[in-house]
Coordinates of all heavy atoms in Angstrom, one line a residue:
M1 N 10.3 -13.7 10.7 CA 10.4 -14.7 9.6 C 10.6 -14.0 8.3 O 10.0 -14.2 7.3 CB 9.2 -15.6 9.5 CG 9.1 -16.5 10.8 SD 7.6 -17.6 10.7 CE 8.0 -18.5 9.3
V2 N 11.6 -13.0 8.3 CA 11.9 -12.2 7.1 C 13.4 -12.4 6.8 O 14.2 -12.4 7.7 CB 11.6 -10.7 7.3 CG1 12.0 -9.9 6.1 CG2 10.1 -10.6 7.5
D3 N 13.7 -12.5 5.5 CA 15.1 -12.6 5.1 C 15.6 -11.3 4.6 O 15.1 -10.8 3.6 CB 15.3 -13.7 4.0 CG 16.7 -13.9 3.7 OD1 17.5 -14.0 4.6 OD2 17.0 -14.1 2.5
Y4 N 16.4 -10.6 5.4 CA 16.9 -9.3 5.0 C 18.2 -9.4 4.2 O 19.0 -10.2 4.5 CB 17.2 -8.4 6.3 CG 16.0 -8.2 7.1 CD1 15.8 -8.9 8.3 CD2 15.0 -7.3 6.8 CE1 14.7 -8.7 9.1 CE2 13.9 -7.1 7.6 CZ 13.7 -7.8 8.7 OH 12.6 -7.6 9.5
P5 N 18.4 -8.5 3.3 CA 17.4 -7.5 2.8 C 16.4 -8.2 1.9 O 16.7 -9.3 1.4 CB 18.3 -6.5 2.0 CG 19.4 -7.4 1.5 CD 19.7 -8.4 2.6
F6 N 15.2 -7.6 1.8 CA 14.2 -8.1 0.8 C 13.6 -7.0 0.1 O 13.7 -5.8 0.5 CB 13.2 -9.0 1.5 CG 12.1 -8.3 2.3 CD1 10.9 -8.0 1.7 CD2 12.3 -7.9 3.6 CE1 9.9 -7.3 2.5 CE2 11.4 -7.3 4.4 CZ 10.2 -6.9 3.8
K7 N 13.0 -7.3 -1.0 CA 12.4 -6.3 -1.9 C 10.9 -6.1 -1.5 O 10.2 -7.1 -1.3 CB 12.5 -6.6 -3.4 CG 13.9 -6.7 -3.9 CD 14.5 -5.3 -4.0 CE 15.9 -5.4 -4.6 NZ 16.5 -4.2 -4.6
A8 N 10.4 -4.9 -1.6 CA 9.0 -4.6 -1.4 C 8.6 -3.5 -2.4 O 9.5 -2.8 -2.9 CB 8.7 -4.1 0.0
R9 N 7.3 -3.5 -2.7 CA 6.8 -2.4 -3.5 C 6.1 -1.4 -2.6 O 5.1 -1.8 -2.0 CB 5.9 -2.9 -4.6 CG 6.8 -3.7 -5.6 CD 6.2 -3.7 -7.0 NE 6.1 -2.4 -7.7 CZ 7.0 -1.7 -8.3 NH1 8.2 -2.2 -8.3 NH2 6.8 -0.6 -8.9
I10 N 6.5 -0.2 -2.6 CA 5.8 0.9 -1.8 C 5.5 2.0 -2.7 O 6.5 2.5 -3.4 CB 6.7 1.3 -0.6 CG1 6.9 0.2 0.4 CG2 6.0 2.5 0.1 CD1 7.9 0.5 1.5
D11 N 4.3 2.4 -2.8 CA 3.9 3.5 -3.7 C 4.4 3.2 -5.2 O 5.0 4.1 -5.8 CB 4.4 4.8 -3.2 CG 3.8 5.1 -1.8 OD1 2.6 4.8 -1.6 OD2 4.5 5.8 -1.0
D12 N 4.2 2.0 -5.7 CA 4.6 1.7 -7.0 C 6.1 1.8 -7.3 O 6.4 1.9 -8.5 CB 3.8 2.5 -8.1 CG 2.3 2.0 -8.1 OD1 2.1 0.8 -7.9 OD2 1.5 2.8 -8.4
R13 N 6.9 1.7 -6.3 CA 8.3 1.6 -6.6 C 9.0 0.6 -5.8 O 8.6 0.3 -4.6 CB 9.0 3.0 -6.4 CG 8.7 3.7 -5.2 CD 9.4 5.1 -5.2 NE 10.6 5.0 -4.4 CZ 10.6 5.3 -3.1 NH1 9.6 5.7 -2.5 NH2 11.7 5.2 -2.4
A14 N 10.0 0.0 -6.3 CA 10.8 -1.1 -5.6 C 11.6 -0.5 -4.5 O 12.3 0.5 -4.7 CB 11.7 -1.8 -6.6
V15 N 11.5 -1.0 -3.4 CA 12.3 -0.6 -2.2 C 13.0 -1.8 -1.6 O 12.4 -2.9 -1.5 CB 11.3 0.1 -1.2 CG1 12.0 0.5 0.1 CG2 10.6 1.3 -1.8
T16 N 14.2 -1.6 -1.1 CA 14.9 -2.6 -0.4 C 14.7 -2.4 1.1 O 15.1 -1.4 1.6 CB 16.4 -2.7 -0.8 OG1 16.5 -2.9 -2.2 CG2 17.1 -3.7 0.0
I17 N 14.1 -3.4 1.8 CA 14.0 -3.3 3.2 C 15.3 -3.9 3.8 O 15.5 -5.1 3.6 CB 12.7 -4.1 3.7 CG1 11.5 -3.6 3.0 CG2 12.6 -4.0 5.2 CD1 11.1 -2.1 3.3
R18 N 16.1 -3.1 4.4 CA 17.4 -3.5 4.8 C 17.5 -4.3 6.1 O 18.4 -5.2 6.2 CB 18.3 -2.3 4.9 CG 18.5 -1.5 3.6 CD 19.2 -0.2 3.9 NE 18.6 0.7 4.9 CZ 17.6 1.5 4.7 NH1 17.0 1.5 3.5 NH2 17.1 2.2 5.7
D19 N 16.7 -4.0 7.0 CA 16.8 -4.6 8.4 C 15.5 -4.5 9.1 O 14.5 -3.9 8.6 CB 17.9 -3.9 9.2 CG 17.8 -2.4 9.2 OD1 16.6 -1.9 9.3 OD2 18.8 -1.7 9.2
A20 N 15.4 -5.0 10.3 CA 14.2 -5.1 11.1 C 13.7 -3.7 11.4 O 12.5 -3.4 11.4 CB 14.4 -5.9 12.4
A21 N 14.6 -2.7 11.7 CA 14.1 -1.4 12.0 C 13.4 -0.7 10.8 O 12.4 -0.1 11.0 CB 15.3 -0.5 12.4
H22 N 14.0 -0.9 9.6 CA 13.4 -0.4 8.4 C 12.0 -1.1 8.2 O 11.0 -0.4 7.8 CB 14.3 -0.6 7.2 CG 13.9 0.0 5.9 ND1 14.5 -0.3 4.8 CD2 12.9 0.9 5.6 CE1 13.9 0.4 3.8 NE2 13.0 1.2 4.3
F23 N 11.9 -2.4 8.4 CA 10.7 -3.1 8.2 C 9.6 -2.6 9.2 O 8.5 -2.4 8.7 CB 11.0 -4.6 8.5 CG 9.8 -5.5 8.4 CD1 9.1 -5.6 7.1 CD2 9.3 -6.2 9.4 CE1 8.0 -6.5 7.0 CE2 8.2 -7.0 9.3 CZ 7.6 -7.1 8.1
V24 N 10.0 -2.4 10.4 CA 9.0 -1.9 11.4 C 8.5 -0.5 11.0 O 7.3 -0.2 11.1 CB 9.6 -1.9 12.8 CG1 8.7 -1.2 13.8 CG2 9.8 -3.4 13.3
E25 N 9.4 0.3 10.6 CA 9.1 1.7 10.2 C 8.1 1.7 9.0 O 7.2 2.6 9.0 CB 10.4 2.4 9.8 CG 10.2 3.8 9.4 CD 11.5 4.5 9.0 OE1 12.6 4.2 9.7 OE2 11.5 5.2 8.0
D26 N 8.3 0.8 8.1 CA 7.4 0.8 6.9 C 6.4 -0.3 6.9 O 5.8 -0.6 5.8 CB 8.3 0.7 5.6 CG 9.0 2.0 5.3 OD1 8.6 3.1 5.8 OD2 10.1 2.0 4.7
Y27 N 6.2 -0.9 8.0 CA 5.3 -2.1 8.0 C 3.9 -1.8 7.4 O 3.5 -2.6 6.5 CB 5.1 -2.5 9.5 CG 4.2 -3.8 9.6 CD1 4.8 -5.0 9.5 CD2 2.8 -3.7 9.8 CE1 4.0 -6.2 9.6 CE2 2.1 -4.8 9.9 CZ 2.7 -6.0 9.8 OH 1.9 -7.2 9.9
D28 N 3.2 -0.8 7.7 CA 1.9 -0.5 7.1 C 2.0 -0.2 5.7 O 1.0 -0.4 4.9 CB 1.2 0.7 7.9 CG 0.8 0.3 9.3 OD1 0.6 -0.9 9.5 OD2 0.8 1.1 10.2
K29 N 3.1 0.3 5.2 CA 3.2 0.6 3.7 C 3.6 -0.7 3.0 O 3.3 -0.8 1.8 CB 4.4 1.6 3.5 CG 4.1 2.9 4.0 CD 5.3 3.8 3.8 CE 5.1 5.2 4.5 NZ 6.3 6.0 4.5
V30 N 4.2 -1.7 3.6 CA 4.5 -3.0 3.0 C 3.3 -3.9 3.1 O 2.9 -4.5 2.1 CB 5.7 -3.6 3.7 CG1 6.0 -5.0 3.2 CG2 7.0 -2.7 3.6
F31 N 2.7 -4.1 4.3 CA 1.6 -5.0 4.4 C 0.3 -4.2 4.3 O -0.4 -3.9 5.3 CB 1.7 -5.7 5.7 CG 2.7 -6.9 5.7 CD1 4.0 -6.6 6.1 CD2 2.3 -8.1 5.2 CE1 4.9 -7.7 6.0 CE2 3.3 -9.1 5.0 CZ 4.6 -8.9 5.5
T32 N 0.0 -3.8 3.1 CA -1.2 -3.0 2.8 C -2.5 -3.9 3.0 O -2.3 -5.1 3.1 CB -1.2 -2.4 1.4 OG1 -1.1 -3.5 0.5 CG2 0.0 -1.5 1.2
S33 N -3.6 -3.3 2.9 CA -4.9 -4.1 2.9 C -4.9 -5.2 1.8 O -5.4 -6.3 2.0 CB -6.1 -3.2 2.9 OG -6.1 -2.5 1.7
K34 N -4.4 -4.8 0.6 CA -4.3 -5.7 -0.5 C -3.4 -7.0 -0.2 O -3.8 -8.1 -0.4 CB -3.8 -5.0 -1.8 CG -3.7 -6.0 -3.0 CD -3.1 -5.2 -4.1 CE -2.8 -6.2 -5.3 NZ -2.0 -5.6 -6.3
V35 N -2.3 -6.7 0.4 CA -1.4 -7.8 0.8 C -2.0 -8.6 1.9 O -2.0 -9.9 1.8 CB 0.0 -7.2 1.2 CG1 0.9 -8.3 1.8 CG2 0.7 -6.5 0.0
R36 N -2.6 -8.0 2.9 CA -3.2 -8.8 4.0 C -4.4 -9.6 3.5 O -4.6 -10.8 3.9 CB -3.6 -7.8 5.1 CG -2.5 -7.2 5.8 CD -2.9 -6.5 7.1 NE -4.0 -5.5 6.9 CZ -3.8 -4.2 6.6 NH1 -2.6 -3.8 6.4 NH2 -4.9 -3.5 6.5
K37 N -5.1 -9.1 2.5 CA -6.3 -9.8 2.0 C -5.7 -11.0 1.2 O -6.3 -12.1 1.3 CB -7.1 -9.0 1.1 CG -8.3 -9.7 0.5 CD -9.2 -8.8 -0.3 CE -10.4 -9.6 -0.7 NZ -11.1 -9.2 -1.9
A38 N -4.7 -10.9 0.4 CA -4.1 -12.0 -0.3 C -3.7 -13.1 0.6 O -3.9 -14.3 0.4 CB -2.9 -11.5 -1.1
V39 N -3.1 -12.8 1.8 CA -2.7 -13.8 2.7 C -3.9 -14.5 3.4 O -3.9 -15.7 3.4 CB -1.8 -13.1 3.8 CG1 -1.5 -14.1 5.0 CG2 -0.5 -12.6 3.2
S40 N -4.8 -13.7 3.8 CA -6.0 -14.3 4.5 C -6.9 -15.1 3.6 O -7.6 -16.0 4.1 CB -6.8 -13.2 5.2 OG -7.4 -12.3 4.2
S41 N -6.9 -14.9 2.3 CA -7.7 -15.6 1.4 C -7.0 -16.8 0.7 O -7.6 -17.5 -0.1 CB -8.4 -14.7 0.4 OG -7.4 -14.1 -0.4
Q42 N -5.7 -16.9 0.9 CA -4.9 -17.9 0.2 C -5.2 -19.3 0.7 O -5.5 -19.5 1.9 CB -3.4 -17.7 0.5 CG -2.5 -18.7 -0.2 CD -2.6 -18.6 -1.7 OE1 -2.4 -17.5 -2.3 NE2 -2.8 -19.7 -2.4
T43 N -5.3 -20.2 -0.2 CA -5.5 -21.6 0.2 C -4.4 -22.5 -0.3 O -3.7 -22.1 -1.2 CB -6.8 -22.2 -0.4 OG1 -6.7 -22.2 -1.8 CG2 -8.1 -21.4 0.0
Y44 N -4.1 -23.5 0.4 CA -2.9 -24.4 0.1 C -3.0 -24.9 -1.3 O -2.0 -24.8 -2.0 CB -2.8 -25.6 1.1 CG -1.7 -26.5 0.8 CD1 -0.4 -26.1 1.1 CD2 -1.9 -27.7 0.1 CE1 0.7 -26.9 0.8 CE2 -0.8 -28.5 -0.2 CZ 0.5 -28.1 0.2 OH 1.5 -28.9 -0.1
P45 N -4.1 -25.4 -1.8 CA -4.1 -25.9 -3.2 C -3.8 -24.9 -4.3 O -3.4 -25.2 -5.4 CB -5.5 -26.5 -3.4 CG -6.1 -26.7 -2.0 CD -5.4 -25.6 -1.2
N46 N -4.0 -23.6 -4.0 CA -3.8 -22.6 -4.9 C -2.4 -21.9 -4.8 O -2.2 -20.9 -5.5 CB -4.9 -21.5 -4.9 CG -6.2 -22.1 -5.3 OD1 -6.2 -23.0 -6.2 ND2 -7.3 -21.7 -4.7
L47 N -1.5 -22.4 -4.0 CA -0.2 -21.8 -3.9 C 0.6 -22.1 -5.2 O 0.4 -23.1 -5.8 CB 0.6 -22.4 -2.8 CG 0.2 -22.0 -1.4 CD1 1.0 -22.8 -0.3 CD2 0.5 -20.5 -1.2
F48 N 1.4 -21.2 -5.6 CA 2.3 -21.4 -6.8 C 3.7 -21.4 -6.3 O 4.1 -20.7 -5.5 CB 2.1 -20.2 -7.8 CG 3.1 -20.2 -8.9 CD1 2.9 -21.0 -10.0 CD2 4.2 -19.4 -8.8 CE1 3.8 -21.0 -11.1 CE2 5.1 -19.4 -9.9 CZ 4.9 -20.2 -11.0
A49 N 4.5 -22.4 -6.9 CA 5.9 -22.5 -6.5 C 6.7 -22.7 -7.8 O 6.3 -23.3 -8.7 CB 6.1 -23.7 -5.6
N50 N 7.9 -22.1 -7.7 CA 8.9 -22.3 -8.8 C 10.3 -22.2 -8.1 O 10.4 -22.2 -6.9 CB 8.8 -21.4 -10.0 CG 9.0 -19.9 -9.6 OD1 9.6 -19.6 -8.6 ND2 8.5 -19.1 -10.5
W51 N 11.4 -22.0 -8.9 CA 12.7 -22.0 -8.4 C 12.9 -20.8 -7.5 O 13.8 -20.7 -6.7 CB 13.7 -22.0 -9.5 CG 13.7 -20.7 -10.4 CD1 12.9 -20.6 -11.5 CD2 14.4 -19.5 -10.2 NE1 13.0 -19.3 -12.0 CE2 14.0 -18.6 -11.2 CE3 15.3 -19.1 -9.3 CZ2 14.5 -17.4 -11.3 CZ3 15.9 -17.8 -9.4 CH2 15.4 -17.0 -10.5
Q52 N 12.1 -19.7 -7.6 CA 12.2 -18.5 -6.8 C 11.6 -18.7 -5.4 O 11.9 -17.9 -4.5 CB 11.6 -17.3 -7.5 CG 12.3 -16.9 -8.8 CD 11.5 -15.9 -9.5 OE1 10.4 -16.1 -9.9 NE2 12.2 -14.7 -9.6
G53 N 10.7 -19.6 -5.2 CA 10.0 -19.8 -3.9 C 8.6 -20.1 -4.1 O 8.1 -20.6 -5.2
V54 N 7.8 -19.8 -3.1 CA 6.3 -20.0 -3.1 C 5.7 -18.6 -3.1 O 6.1 -17.7 -2.4 CB 5.9 -20.8 -1.9 CG1 4.4 -21.0 -1.9 CG2 6.7 -22.1 -1.8
M55 N 4.6 -18.5 -3.9 CA 3.9 -17.2 -4.1 C 2.5 -17.3 -3.5 O 1.8 -18.2 -3.7 CB 3.8 -16.9 -5.6 CG 3.1 -15.7 -5.9 SD 3.0 -15.4 -7.7 CE 1.6 -16.4 -8.1
I56 N 2.2 -16.2 -2.8 CA 0.8 -16.0 -2.3 C 0.1 -15.0 -3.1 O 0.7 -14.0 -3.5 CB 0.9 -15.6 -0.8 CG1 1.4 -16.7 0.1 CG2 -0.5 -15.1 -0.4 CD1 1.5 -16.3 1.5
G57 N -1.1 -15.3 -3.5 CA -2.0 -14.4 -4.3 C -1.4 -14.3 -5.7 O -1.0 -15.2 -6.3
D58 N -1.3 -13.0 -6.1 CA -0.8 -12.7 -7.5 C 0.6 -12.2 -7.4 O 1.0 -11.3 -8.1 CB -1.7 -11.7 -8.2 CG -3.1 -12.3 -8.6 OD1 -3.1 -13.5 -8.9 OD2 -4.0 -11.6 -8.5
G59 N 1.4 -12.7 -6.4 CA 2.7 -12.3 -6.2 C 2.9 -11.3 -5.0 O 3.9 -10.7 -4.9
E60 N 1.8 -11.1 -4.2 CA 1.9 -10.2 -3.1 C 3.0 -10.6 -2.2 O 3.6 -9.7 -1.6 CB 0.5 -10.1 -2.4 CG -0.5 -9.2 -3.1 CD -1.3 -10.0 -4.2 OE1 -1.1 -11.2 -4.4 OE2 -2.2 -9.4 -4.8
I61 N 3.1 -11.9 -1.9 CA 4.2 -12.3 -1.0 C 4.9 -13.5 -1.6 O 4.2 -14.4 -2.2 CB 3.6 -12.7 0.4 CG1 3.1 -11.5 1.1 CG2 4.7 -13.4 1.2 CD1 2.8 -11.6 2.5
W62 N 6.2 -13.5 -1.6 CA 7.0 -14.6 -1.9 C 7.8 -15.1 -0.7 O 8.3 -14.3 0.1 CB 8.1 -14.2 -3.0 CG 7.5 -14.2 -4.4 CD1 6.9 -13.1 -4.9 CD2 7.4 -15.2 -5.4 NE1 6.4 -13.4 -6.2 CE2 6.8 -14.7 -6.5 CE3 7.8 -16.5 -5.4 CZ2 6.5 -15.4 -7.6 CZ3 7.6 -17.3 -6.5 CH2 7.0 -16.7 -7.6
F63 N 7.9 -16.4 -0.5 CA 8.6 -16.9 0.6 C 9.3 -18.2 0.2 O 8.9 -18.8 -0.9 CB 7.8 -17.1 1.9 CG 6.7 -18.1 1.7 CD1 6.9 -19.5 2.1 CD2 5.4 -17.8 1.2 CE1 5.9 -20.4 2.0 CE2 4.4 -18.7 1.1 CZ 4.6 -20.0 1.4
G64 N 10.3 -18.7 0.9 CA 11.0 -19.9 0.6 C 11.9 -20.3 1.7 O 12.1 -19.6 2.7
G65 N 12.6 -21.4 1.5 CA 13.6 -22.0 2.4 C 14.9 -21.2 2.3 O 15.3 -21.0 1.2
I66 N 15.4 -20.8 3.4 CA 16.7 -20.1 3.4 C 17.7 -21.0 4.1 O 17.4 -21.5 5.3 CB 16.6 -18.7 4.1 CG1 15.5 -17.9 3.4 CG2 17.9 -18.0 4.1 CD1 15.8 -17.5 2.0
C67 N 18.8 -21.2 3.6 CA 19.8 -22.1 4.2 C 20.3 -21.4 5.5 O 20.7 -20.2 5.5 CB 21.0 -22.3 3.3 SG 20.6 -23.3 1.8
S68 N 20.3 -22.2 6.6 CA 20.8 -21.7 7.9 C 22.2 -22.1 8.2 O 22.8 -21.7 9.2 CB 19.9 -22.2 9.0 OG 18.5 -21.8 8.7
D69 N 22.8 -23.0 7.3 CA 24.2 -23.4 7.5 C 24.9 -23.6 6.2 O 24.2 -23.5 5.2 CB 24.3 -24.7 8.4 CG 23.6 -25.9 7.8 OD1 23.3 -25.8 6.6 OD2 23.5 -26.9 8.4
E70 N 26.2 -23.8 6.2 CA 26.9 -23.9 4.9 C 26.5 -25.1 4.1 O 26.6 -25.0 2.8 CB 28.4 -23.9 5.2 CG 29.0 -22.6 5.8 CD 30.5 -22.7 6.0 OE1 31.1 -23.6 5.5 OE2 30.9 -21.8 6.7
T71 N 26.1 -26.2 4.7 CA 25.7 -27.3 3.9 C 24.2 -27.3 3.4 O 23.8 -28.2 2.7 CB 25.9 -28.6 4.7 OG1 25.1 -28.6 5.9 CG2 27.4 -28.8 5.1
C72 N 23.5 -26.3 3.9 CA 22.1 -26.2 3.6 C 21.2 -27.3 4.2 O 20.2 -27.6 3.7 CB 21.8 -26.0 2.1 SG 20.3 -25.0 1.8
K73 N 21.7 -28.0 5.2 CA 20.9 -29.1 5.8 C 19.9 -28.5 6.7 O 18.9 -29.1 7.0 CB 21.9 -30.0 6.6 CG 22.7 -30.9 5.7 CD 23.5 -31.9 6.4 CE 24.4 -32.7 5.4 NZ 25.2 -33.7 6.1
Q74 N 20.1 -27.3 7.2 CA 19.2 -26.6 8.1 C 18.6 -25.5 7.3 O 19.3 -24.6 6.8 CB 19.9 -26.0 9.3 CG 20.4 -27.1 10.2 CD 19.4 -27.9 10.9 OE1 18.3 -27.4 11.3 NE2 19.6 -29.2 11.1
Q75 N 17.3 -25.5 7.1 CA 16.6 -24.4 6.4 C 15.5 -23.8 7.3 O 14.9 -24.5 8.1 CB 16.0 -24.9 5.1 CG 17.0 -25.2 4.1 CD 16.3 -25.5 2.7 OE1 15.2 -25.1 2.5 NE2 17.1 -26.1 1.8
T76 N 15.2 -22.5 7.1 CA 14.1 -21.9 7.7 C 13.3 -21.2 6.6 O 13.8 -20.9 5.6 CB 14.5 -20.8 8.7 OG1 15.4 -19.9 8.1 CG2 15.3 -21.4 9.9
V77 N 12.0 -21.1 6.8 CA 11.1 -20.4 5.9 C 11.1 -18.9 6.2 O 10.9 -18.5 7.3 CB 9.7 -21.0 5.9 CG1 8.8 -20.2 5.0 CG2 9.7 -22.5 5.6
R78 N 11.4 -18.1 5.1 CA 11.4 -16.7 5.3 C 10.7 -16.0 4.1 O 10.7 -16.5 3.0 CB 12.9 -16.2 5.2 CG 13.8 -16.8 6.3 CD 13.6 -16.2 7.6 NE 14.6 -16.6 8.5 CZ 14.5 -16.6 9.8 NH1 13.4 -16.1 10.3 NH2 15.4 -17.0 10.6
I79 N 10.2 -14.8 4.4 CA 9.6 -14.0 3.4 C 10.7 -13.4 2.6 O 11.7 -12.8 3.2 CB 8.7 -12.9 4.0 CG1 7.5 -13.5 4.6 CG2 8.3 -11.8 2.9 CD1 6.6 -12.5 5.4
T80 N 10.7 -13.4 1.3 CA 11.8 -12.9 0.5 C 11.3 -11.7 -0.4 O 12.2 -10.9 -0.9 CB 12.3 -14.0 -0.5 OG1 11.3 -14.5 -1.3 CG2 13.0 -15.1 0.3
A81 N 10.0 -11.5 -0.5 CA 9.5 -10.3 -1.2 C 8.1 -10.0 -0.9 O 7.3 -10.9 -0.6 CB 9.6 -10.5 -2.7
V82 N 7.7 -8.7 -0.9 CA 6.3 -8.3 -0.7 C 6.0 -7.3 -1.7 O 6.7 -6.3 -1.9 CB 6.1 -7.7 0.8 CG1 4.6 -7.3 1.0 CG2 6.5 -8.7 1.8
N83 N 4.9 -7.5 -2.4 CA 4.5 -6.6 -3.5 C 3.0 -6.2 -3.4 O 2.2 -7.0 -3.3 CB 4.7 -7.3 -4.9 CG 6.1 -7.7 -5.1 OD1 7.0 -7.0 -5.2 ND2 6.3 -9.1 -5.1
D84 N 2.8 -4.9 -3.3 CA 1.4 -4.4 -3.3 C 0.8 -4.3 -4.7 O 1.4 -4.0 -5.6 CB 1.4 -3.0 -2.6 CG 0.0 -2.5 -2.5 OD1 -1.0 -3.2 -2.7 OD2 -0.2 -1.3 -2.1

């Protein structure tokens, strides 16, 4: 459930995760304990949403609907950014 490419912060620098292989390789650097804690403690009433998508925590994860066809009648929810 990831939209490639997506941006992540690894060691305080912006990194573009290009594909699934890159994601698997850097998984532990992307989903740090801080990011995992933000996800596990998030509650529905405290989600923040704007034109960029929906934010978990203080911006640790952003996700949103991604068009699956040309008319955008079919959408899937995908992670679009992960920030430690």
Side-chain angles (χ1 to χ4, degrees):
M1 294 182 60
V2 175
D3 187 40
Y4 299 104
F6 76 95
K7 297 288 186 185
R9 292 209 58 84
I10 297 175
D11 299 326
D12 286 329
R13 47 182 260 270
V15 175
T16 300
I17 305 295
R18 298 172 306 280
D19 54 34
H22 188 192
F23 179 65
V24 170
E25 181 181 320
D26 286 336
Y27 183 86
D28 290 332
K29 296 176 187 172
V30 174
F31 284 93
T32 63
S33 61
K34 179 183 174 193
V35 172
R36 291 192 309 272
K37 184 176 183 205
V39 172
S40 67
S41 62
Q42 182 64 54
T43 62
Y44 179 77
N46 293 325
L47 287 171
F48 171 80
N50 66 17
W51 66 273
Q52 294 174 295
V54 181
M55 179 180 81
I56 291 178
D58 291 323
E60 283 85 359
I61 296 195
W62 282 89
F63 64 94
I66 305 297
C67 295
S68 300
D69 62 12
E70 290 182 18
T71 62
C72 207
K73 289 183 180 178
Q74 297 290 323
Q75 290 191 18
T76 56
V77 175
R78 302 280 190 204
I79 293 172
T80 56
V82 181
N83 303 293
D84 183 7

